[in-house]
Amino acid sequence: MDKLQAYRGKRDAARTPEPVPAEPALTGENPDGGMFVIQEHHARRLHWDVRLERDGVLVSWAVPKGVPDDPAVNHLAVHTEDHPLEYGSFEGEIPRGQYGAGTMTIWDSGRYETLKWAKDEVKIRLHGQRVTGGYTLFQTGGKQWMMHRERQPLPPGLRPMLAALWSTPPPDDGKWALEMKWDGVRALAFVERGQVRLMSRTERDITVAYPELTGLGHATSHKQLLLDGEIVVFGEGGWPEFEALQSRMHVSDASQARLLAGQNP
Ligand code: MN
């Protein structure tokens, strides 16, 4: 059986720039994983095509809302016909009147690992530029599937980024950004299920000292987030003032922290 029969049946090789191989798909086997691609497809309705290399073809789903970033919100994924492996590098304009007419660009690509591959459930771990981590696709009926993002364990051993001393500025190659010296306290904020945890550069938990920042949890609802930033107190004239921050820095009592937050927010 040629797995690409449905794919070929929808396309006219003379009218679309998409790869339409004449030969049947090779029957390779890759039970442990392979390449993946997510293509942003501005067709009649915008969607993202998630494709996983599996046994000689790209097994595909169209995800109208894109890859979910919130483990609490699954996204509809419509199972579509297997695509040829060559499709993994395709970007271009599918002409009007052709199947899937519109612009296709690669949104992300990389390797994936297979954790489970059943007829109605696919568990994978993606290693891309934009998406990494565990995802599950599960069938809810016919072509209708759902895509679920697994909750990610926050990586251990992380420290806030610190300034380093160099004798010359970095090359002006567009890859660098300037950040002013804030005169504050460098910290990581771990946000999960609406809860915020702040960690200092010495890996001390400093959450209790800055009650103002619990608002980060409400602002990001169920999202999982890791922020690297600097805690500052603004003095007169709107400039960060380290002296004002000093009274806040070593507080470990919640009520004292709230009191000081009122004086030097
Ligand atoms: Mn598509």
Side-chain angles (χ1 to χ4, degrees):
M1 193 201 84
D2 178 14
K3 287 180 176 173
L4 293 177
Q5 206 176 330
Y7 174 89
R8 233 179 258 109
K10 290 172 188 284
R11 289 168 179 82
D12 180 345
R15 290 171 192 264
T16 179
E18 296 165 290
V20 185
E23 301 80 35
L26 295 171
T27 49
E29 276 189 25
N30 53 305
D32 302 329
M35 67 85 74
F36 83 91
V37 65
I38 299 171
Q39 280 149 325
E40 183 171 332
H41 190 181
H42 290 259
R44 198 153 46 90
R45 294 175 91 171
L46 172 65
H47 60 271
W48 283 261
D49 288 295
V50 175
R51 311 188 197 279
L52 306 174
E53 176 186 8
R54 178 80 178 177
D55 298 349
V57 291
L58 294 174
V59 179
S60 299
W61 291 265
V63 186
K65 290 184 176 167
V67 174
D69 60 2
D70 181 351
V73 182
N74 297 336
H75 286 179
L76 172 70
V78 181
H79 195 251
T80 55
E81 77 277 14
D82 291 342
H83 279 49
L85 293 184
E86 296 91 316
Y87 213 95
S89 56
F90 173 71
E91 292 190 294
E93 192 77 35
I94 303 169
R96 279 173 78 165
Q98 299 306 303
Y99 180 73
T103 308
M104 180 92 75
T105 52
I106 293 175
W107 184 80
D108 199 9
S109 66
R111 309 290 300 174
Y112 81 94
E113 295 164 66
T114 307
L115 306 176
K116 175 182 179 180
W117 196 291
K119 226 168 65 86
D120 56 355
E121 189 183 37
V122 172
K123 279 179 177 287
I124 50 169
R125 191 171 297 127
L126 299 178
H127 302 280
Q129 302 293 313
R130 300 176 85 148
V131 287
T132 54
Y135 291 84
T136 300
L137 290 138
F138 59 95
Q139 191 178 28
T140 55
K143 289 182 186 308
Q144 304 241 325
W145 291 53
M146 297 297 279
M147 188 169 188
H148 168 74
R149 175 171 165 88
E150 302 294 337
R151 201 160 275 286
Q152 316 285 312
L154 285 167
L158 288 174
R159 299 282 187 87
M161 275 178 83
L162 299 176
L165 198 60
W166 292 81
S167 52
T168 53
D172 184 15
D173 57 6
K175 292 179 182 161
W176 295 86
L178 293 176
E179 186 183 327
M180 67 174 276
K181 181 169 166 17
W182 287 104
D183 247 352
V185 169
R186 204 81 203 175
L188 287 179
F190 300 96
V191 188
E192 193 169 21
R193 298 178 209 239
Q195 299 289 313
V196 180
R197 190 159 59 87
L198 300 171
M199 199 184 78
S200 76
R201 56 193 285 181
T202 54
E203 287 188 71
R204 215 157 47 86
D205 190 320
I206 52 171
T207 313
V208 75
Y210 305 102
E212 299 99 317
L213 296 176
T214 55
L216 274 176
H218 301 290
T220 54
S221 70
H222 286 278
K223 297 217 166 34
Q224 247 189 334
L225 206 60
L226 174 58
L227 298 169
D228 183 326
E230 192 144 336
I231 300 168
V232 295
V233 169
F234 289 104
E236 274 171 49
W239 293 97
E241 213 172 78
F242 192 70
E243 293 73 45
L245 181 63
Q246 272 177 321
S247 69
R248 306 282 317 272
M249 279 169 60
H250 302 289
V251 178
S252 55
D253 176 71
S255 57
Q256 199 200 348
R258 274 197 299 277
L259 184 74
L260 291 169
Q263 296 165 0
N264 276 321

